Amino acid sequence: MTLRWRLTLFYTALLAVLLTGVAFATLLMMKTNLISGMDRELQTTYAQFTTIYSQIELKSTIGGNSDAEALLLPARTFFPESAIQIEQLAFYDQDSLTSEFARAKSEQARAQLLTVLRTLADGTRQSVGIDPSAPIRLSDAELVSLISSPGRQMILTRQVKKQFAPPVSMRVLVTLAPVLLETSAFGTARETFAMTYVGRDLSTLTFTLAQLRSIILLLFLGGLVTAGAGSYLLAGQAMQPLRLVQRAAERIGGQNLGERVPEPSTGDEVQSLAQALNAMLGRLESSFEAQRRFTSDASHELRTPVTAISGHASYLLRRTSPSGQQQESLNIIRSESERLTNLIASLLQLARSDSGALTLTHQPILSSLFLADVARELAPLAQAQNTVLTATGEDIPFEGDPDRMKQVIINLVGNALKAGATTITLESTPQEVTAGKPKEVRLSVRDDGPGIAPEHLKRLFDRFYRVEDSRSRDQGGAGLGLSIAKGIVDAHGGRIWIESEVGVGTVAHVQVPIGNVPDLSEEDVP
């Protein structure tokens, strides 16, 4: 995974965690505030209802009307959104209920007290907005908790069935307290102990929270998408200088060490990295240039004495009458001089290739005809080793230096002959064909030699590297042929590689661009 994607995922995940925390905190705070507000409204409704109920009860007592519907009819008008239920506990007041509850210590005694309270409640129950056949009832544990609580109040969430409607979830305030009733014009009063239930439908609160969750979810997703896209773009913008440095560094090789990576004026680590890379490239360029100069100068200086040694050895062989042992020594001197001359020539060519001074004469070439010419030229050498050398494939015109490319193919065929191949095939095939026209041509040298072990394949193009056991039976090789071939192919803008399997054979591929060549015939090609 790239650094850009890692940064994008990190910041997006961090924002997701923060947004999740904010969302949960917002929902929790909103839910708490809404429930607290509803609880306050329940307390207010309870206080208003008890006041109104006392007045209604007083008027009904004076007027002799005790009908429950008539008593609670005004409550429907004053509290249309509330569900109210009141149960009078006659014969009890706060002190008597407290003492009675304190004396009922055993489970049986407490059960009897609760049964009495429920009997009184069932006989005096009045309700507004609640189905009389499905009143709100407290369990034994809830009733005990209500009686023993200091304020004698509790808040429950219950499914409450309204008249002619399905059950709904309600927030219910239950209060066990006296209701003050005015009984005379002289100010005397009496109290009636009652359990009052005031409920409010939670549907609105639930709907509000659901809408809030939907809005938060949309904002969460939108924020993540926006943050992810923004992080990706910002990370890409921040990484742009690094990509420019990377691309420039990838273009720089042994042929163009004089190039430098761009130094962005960012004043940060990227600029420092570019400066360090340019300083390193400068040191490498100096080192490579010194190496090339040494190789070139040493080769030039060695050429004259080696030529003199070879000439004098040839002179002694022609003009004198050496003994057999002397003649053998002179032949060895001349042979090794010629070998050293070839090595010096190879080193000079590598030095020119490294410095970019390898000049190419681009001409149109027909690939199949070109390989056939190479096969004819090397046929005597192949026949001397009982090797069958053939050329095949499509005739594809491409642009290149015929002499340099011939040097590459001859080197590959020579390696196959040294390896002891009995069959060598030169093949030409088109590559990356678009609209019927190839963009590249591949020249392959296929042999049935002993093959090359996998551990050697990666180093075959290293200078002075030889695989003695499999492909260099001729000890005269210096291990520079494939390096020179690679330099020539690189100068053509192509690539060279070798595929091999021990006991099966080896295939050397040279793939170069077609270039801008017109349609050619054999007469157009030199």
Side-chain angles (χ1 to χ4, degrees):
M1 186 182 293
T2 62
L3 179 60
R4 183 180 187 180
W5 276 111
R6 289 202 299 271
L7 288 174
T8 301
L9 291 178
F10 172 76
Y11 287 118
T12 305
L14 180 61
L15 181 63
V17 172
L18 293 177
L19 289 178
T20 301
V22 171
F24 275 111
T26 302
L27 285 173
L28 180 61
M29 184 171 58
M30 182 62 68
K31 183 177 181 180
T32 302
N33 289 338
L34 288 175
I35 291 178
S36 298
M38 181 173 286
D39 291 345
R40 288 193 296 271
E41 290 179 2
L42 291 175
Q43 293 285 359
T44 302
T45 301
Y46 167 74
Q48 294 174 349
F49 170 73
T50 52
T51 302
I52 294 173
Y53 181 77
S54 298
Q55 296 174 359
I56 293 172
E57 182 71 21
L58 175 62
K59 291 178 181 179
S60 64
T61 302
I62 297 174
N65 184 5
S66 60
D67 181 58
E69 288 294 329
L71 291 174
L72 297 181
L73 183 60
R76 298 181 186 277
T77 304
F78 289 112
F79 313 109
E81 296 181 356
S82 299
I84 301 174
Q85 177 178 303
I86 186 169
E87 300 167 347
Q88 297 183 19
L89 302 180
F91 314 116
Y92 281 105
D93 56 19
Q94 185 169 351
D95 294 335
S96 62
L97 181 60
T98 301
S99 60
E100 187 79 17
F101 184 77
R103 287 195 299 270
K105 295 182 178 180
S106 65
E107 293 184 4
Q108 184 178 2
R110 184 163 294 181
Q112 290 177 352
L113 175 60
L114 297 179
T115 301
V116 171
L117 292 177
R118 283 202 174 90
T119 301
L120 292 175
D122 292 339
T124 60
R125 182 178 295 118
Q126 296 172 302
S127 61
V128 175
I130 300 176
D131 190 344
S133 62
I136 304 175
R137 296 180 183 273
L138 298 181
S139 65
D140 290 350
E142 291 171 342
L143 189 54
V144 170
S145 175
L146 177 65
I147 297 172
S148 58
S149 62
R152 293 197 173 164
Q153 278 191 342
M154 63 188 306
I155 295 179
L156 307 172
T157 300
R158 284 289 175 85
Q159 291 290 323
V160 179
K161 188 177 184 306
K162 294 184 177 181
Q163 285 182 317
F164 314 111
V168 294
S169 181
M170 284 193 177
R171 185 84 169 169
V172 181
L173 171 67
V174 185
T175 305
L176 181 60
V179 178
L180 184 65
L181 301 177
E182 295 287 345
T183 58
S184 69
F186 299 101
T188 59
R190 66 180 180 86
E191 291 182 345
T192 298
F193 217 51
M195 279 194 298
T196 307
Y197 303 80
V198 180
R200 182 66 63 87
D201 193 348
L202 289 173
S203 300
T204 303
L205 185 146
T206 304
F207 178 73
T208 302
L209 291 177
Q211 282 190 321
L212 182 61
R213 279 195 296 268
S214 301
I215 293 173
I216 290 176
L217 180 60
L218 290 176
L219 293 176
F220 179 82
L221 295 177
L224 281 187
V225 172
T226 304
S231 299
Y232 184 80
L233 294 176
L234 289 177
Q237 186 176 1
M239 299 297 292
Q240 183 66 23
L242 279 179
R243 281 197 296 271
L244 294 176
V245 171
Q246 175 194 356
R247 292 168 186 167
E250 289 174 347
R251 291 194 303 267
I252 297 174
Q255 306 293 335
N256 56 348
L257 281 174
E259 293 189 16
R260 295 294 182 265
V261 300
E263 295 184 7
S265 302
T266 54
D268 55 11
E269 291 82 357
V270 178
Q271 184 177 2
S272 300
L273 175 62
Q275 293 172 349
L277 285 174
N278 286 332
M280 180 190 69
L281 289 172
R283 294 191 297 270
L284 286 176
E285 183 184 13
S286 300
S287 176
F288 272 74
E289 185 61 30
Q291 179 184 354
R292 283 195 293 264
R293 282 199 305 268
F294 171 77
T295 303
S296 180
D297 294 345
S299 299
H300 279 291
E301 292 299 327
L302 287 173
R303 176 178 289 181
T304 300
V306 169
T307 303
I309 292 172
S310 178
H312 283 290
S314 298
Y315 174 80
L316 289 174
L317 285 171
R318 290 195 310 270
R319 299 294 183 178
T320 63
S321 300
S323 62
Q325 186 174 2
Q326 291 173 341
Q327 185 175 2
E328 182 181 358
S329 297
L330 289 172
N331 283 326
I332 292 174
I333 292 172
R334 186 174 63 177
S335 175
E336 292 302 318
S337 297
E338 292 175 355
R339 177 191 176 101
L340 188 55
T341 299
N342 293 332
L343 177 59
I344 291 170
S346 298
L347 290 174
L348 281 172
Q349 185 169 351
L350 285 173
R352 287 194 293 269
S353 177
D354 290 341
S355 62
L358 183 63
T359 57
L360 299 177
T361 304
H362 287 281
Q363 299 179 22
I365 305 172
L366 289 174
S367 60
S368 182
L369 181 60
F370 168 73
L371 293 180
D373 288 341
V374 175
R376 281 194 300 269
E377 183 176 334
L378 296 178
L381 182 60
Q383 291 173 0
Q385 296 187 199
N386 297 320
T387 301
V388 179
L389 178 60
T390 58
T392 184
E394 298 183 35
D395 217 359
I396 305 165
F398 69 98
E399 196 175 37
D401 189 323
D403 294 332
R404 298 293 187 183
M405 291 300 295
K406 182 179 288 187
Q407 183 180 353
V408 172
I409 301 301
I410 289 175
N411 179 277
L412 297 176
V413 174
N415 287 341
L417 290 173
K418 292 176 184 178
T422 59
T423 301
I424 302 175
T425 303
L426 309 183
E427 186 178 3
S428 169
T429 55
Q431 301 295 316
E432 298 186 21
V433 178
T434 303
K437 293 185 178 181
K439 292 184 177 180
E440 296 183 342
V441 60
R442 179 180 297 178
L443 307 178
S444 303
V445 178
R446 188 183 307 272
D447 69 67
D448 61 352
I452 303 173
E455 62 268 18
H456 297 299
L457 290 177
K458 293 182 179 180
R459 299 193 57 192
L460 288 178
F461 296 98
D462 294 350
R463 296 174 185 181
F464 300 104
Y465 184 79
R466 296 188 298 177
V467 185
E468 299 290 347
D469 295 337
S470 61
R471 300 187 65 85
S472 291
R473 297 186 307 170
D474 181 2
Q475 297 300 318
L480 293 176
L482 288 177
S483 299
I484 295 173
K486 185 178 186 303
I488 294 173
V489 175
D490 289 344
H492 280 79
R495 59 193 182 99
I496 181 173
W497 72 98
I498 293 177
E499 299 172 353
S500 185
E501 184 176 351
V502 176
V504 176
T506 302
V507 185
H509 299 288
V510 175
Q511 188 163 314
V512 294
I514 296 295
N516 297 321
V517 293
D519 295 334
L520 301 174
S521 63
E522 294 185 4
E523 290 78 10
D524 299 321
V525 182

